[in-house]
Amino acid sequence: MTTVKENEEVWDTKVQQFHGGQDWQFLDNFVEDFSVTTNALGTPKVALEASKEALYNCHHYPPANQEPAKSSLAKFIWSNDYSLHHDRLLLGNGASELIDLVIRSAPLGTWKPGPWDVQYKEYQRSAETNGRVILQPQDTTPAKLTCIVNPCNPTGEYKNIVDLKHWIGNNVEDGGFVIVDESMQPWLSRDFRADSLISQNEFIYSLYESRQVSVYIIHSWTKIWSCTGLRLGSVICPTSAHCDVLKKLQVPWSVNSPALAFLDAVVKDTAYMEQTWALTPKWRAEIIEKLKALSDAIVQAKNDEGYAWEFYGKSFLSYIWINMKSKVVAKEAVAQARAAGVPVRNGSLGYDRPTYVRVAVREPSKVDILINAWDELGRD
């Protein structure tokens, strides 16, 4: 069973930000990883085969211009008018590399996260590493650099496009940078583009022209297409000139050949996306129903409604953020899930939320293993 010590051996917590997704390698009885927010359908097979085929060319450098994968992604993002925006798009070795590139290129000054209670920590890690003054989410002062994860990981909170644009306008200084992480937004529906900043090119241009505010849109594609080991991310810059600045900072051949081949193929797999939009909300609702039954059993055993678990996140998302109301119960839940070979995300490590766990949406037979592991949870 994975221990905190083993997690600390993977992450040098003195200098690195803790992330989940490491437990599986320590479990002899590993069944399924509920600790990461990847797609429950698993890795798309056609794209995986394309990636494997690309290994036969590993004696060649990958294309320095990231083509044809970059153009294929641009078509996926913008459809017919992709050529108008293609030069604003840059691929990276996961979103993490691009987060760091944008933050390094931003003007010095304050940094503020989105309004959520807690969000993905890589933005703050990079801001702190680059010596920025950190503001709290509740601070109403506009910042020189603002970063919002929307939908929020891990809490699942979400601003629609109207509210998001309003929030951007009020939370960044003139001449500042805004990074919007929309990695989980494509789960919304087949119409996700309409409620995304990728559809708001005029707004982004106008904000830069009127206030010199630079808006960057980050995507980690490794979650929706379940390929975290390949490292695939992209950033949409406010202008092609902004993109050129990032290219100067980025090391050559940042994205390897198998990852580029995977991306070129996966954006054309429409059947996979349709299945994702159909099954994810269905399976998520079923998991919550089973978790509520566990919560009800605890409430009955304790004879106290204060022990009722709270479930957070939009219905389309690939994860559930759960407040188990007790540090002891949450710790026990993490341990029992690991013991059953189905690790969940510990809210204490990295997020400093010791009563919370995050559970990924997974197919029903794997969910039953987790539910059985938690059958007697918190009743003593």
Side-chain angles (χ1 to χ4, degrees):
M1 184 172 66
T2 308
T3 65
V4 173
K5 181 177 181 294
E6 286 169 334
N7 271 311
E8 289 177 348
E9 288 175 354
V10 173
W11 295 104
D12 185 349
T13 53
K14 297 188 300 297
V15 294
Q16 291 179 309
Q17 171 63 47
F18 176 85
H19 294 270
Q22 300 292 314
D23 292 346
W24 67 272
Q25 61 186 308
F26 299 110
L27 300 178
D28 295 334
N29 64 337
F30 175 71
V31 178
E32 179 62 89
D33 196 349
F34 283 80
S35 75
V36 292
T37 58
T38 50
N39 197 318
L41 297 178
T43 311
K45 292 181 173 57
V46 172
L48 184 59
E49 289 303 314
S51 180
K52 289 163 63 176
E53 188 67 25
L55 284 172
Y56 290 103
N57 290 319
C58 69
H59 55 295
H60 294 298
Y61 283 104
N65 64 357
Q66 305 177 333
E67 295 293 357
K70 187 166 80 168
S71 289
S72 295
L73 180 61
K75 292 177 185 177
F76 175 82
I77 292 172
W78 291 295
S79 190
N80 295 331
D81 63 347
Y82 78 95
S83 61
L84 300 176
H85 313 295
H86 175 276
D87 289 344
R88 296 165 50 214
L89 179 67
L90 184 67
L91 308 183
N93 189 258
S96 296
E97 180 200 15
L98 299 168
I99 291 167
D100 198 59
L101 287 178
V102 176
I103 291 178
R104 283 164 54 199
S105 70
L108 295 177
T110 53
W111 173 87
K112 184 166 69 171
W116 322 124
D117 173 55
V118 64
Q119 69 177 23
Y120 180 56
K121 288 289 189 177
E122 192 61 25
Y123 292 92
Q124 183 165 339
R125 180 210 63 79
S126 183
E128 290 174 344
T129 299
N130 285 280
R132 297 183 180 277
V133 176
I134 308 300
L135 303 180
Q136 296 305 307
Q138 300 80 14
D139 196 321
T140 58
T141 308
K144 184 60 73 174
L145 172 63
T146 297
C147 305
I148 179 172
V149 181
N150 190 56
C152 181
N153 191 359
T155 70
E157 294 164 285
Y158 179 62
K159 287 186 176 294
N160 63 38
I161 195 62
V162 174
D163 291 341
L164 178 60
K165 288 161 65 174
H166 180 75
W167 184 88
I168 289 171
N170 289 338
N171 283 277
V172 63
E173 296 177 15
D174 288 356
F177 276 32
V178 180
I179 305 176
V180 181
D181 187 323
E182 290 195 344
S183 297
M184 311 309 295
Q185 206 271 344
W187 259 282
L188 178 64
S189 72
R190 69 174 55 88
D191 299 318
F192 74 91
R193 296 169 184 84
D195 204 45
S196 162
L197 272 181
I198 64 177
S199 69
Q200 300 296 312
N201 298 302
E202 290 305 318
F203 166 77
I204 292 171
Y205 295 146
S206 175
L207 201 57
Y208 184 65
E209 288 295 321
S210 62
R211 296 178 50 195
Q212 293 294 289
V213 168
S214 301
V215 179
Y216 293 81
I217 309 167
I218 293 273
H219 288 94
S220 169
W221 298 109
T222 62
K223 306 302 190 301
I224 190 74
W225 290 314
S226 192
C227 60
T228 51
L230 278 178
R231 315 305 306 134
L232 269 174
S234 69
V235 59
I236 301 169
C237 302
T239 69
S240 60
H242 287 77
C243 204
D244 288 342
V245 171
L246 298 189
K247 287 179 185 177
K248 290 179 181 178
L249 294 174
Q250 187 178 43
V251 297
W253 308 295
S254 173
V255 187
N256 63 51
S257 297
L260 289 171
F262 182 97
L263 180 59
D264 188 46
V266 79
V267 293
K268 301 159 190 170
D269 193 342
T270 55
Y272 180 89
M273 293 300 294
E274 290 293 336
Q275 194 175 16
T276 296
W277 294 319
L279 288 179
T280 303
K282 176 178 181 294
W283 285 351
R284 190 180 189 278
E286 291 172 358
I287 295 171
I288 290 179
E289 184 177 349
K290 293 176 180 179
L291 290 171
K292 281 182 176 177
L294 296 178
S295 173
D296 290 344
I298 296 174
V299 169
Q300 185 174 0
K302 301 286 188 181
N303 194 28
D304 188 344
E305 288 292 338
Y307 286 92
W309 297 353
E310 294 176 347
F311 305 94
Y312 297 94
K314 293 296 184 181
S315 62
F316 61 84
L317 290 171
S318 63
Y319 55 94
I320 306 158
W321 184 235
I322 309 168
N323 185 359
M324 292 184 163
K325 302 292 186 68
S326 163
K327 295 179 183 179
V328 173
V329 172
K331 186 176 181 179
E332 184 182 356
V334 171
Q336 290 183 2
R338 287 170 176 161
V342 285
V344 298
R345 180 64 159 90
N346 188 336
S348 180
L349 295 174
Y351 292 126
D352 193 27
R353 296 296 182 270
T355 68
Y356 287 79
V357 299
R358 190 188 66 199
V359 174
V361 173
R362 292 292 180 257
E363 59 99 357
S365 68
K366 304 293 176 60
V367 171
D368 288 341
I369 298 172
L370 177 64
I371 297 300
N372 289 336
W374 285 353
D375 187 51
E376 298 297 324
L377 189 65
R379 300 188 198 180
D380 53 4

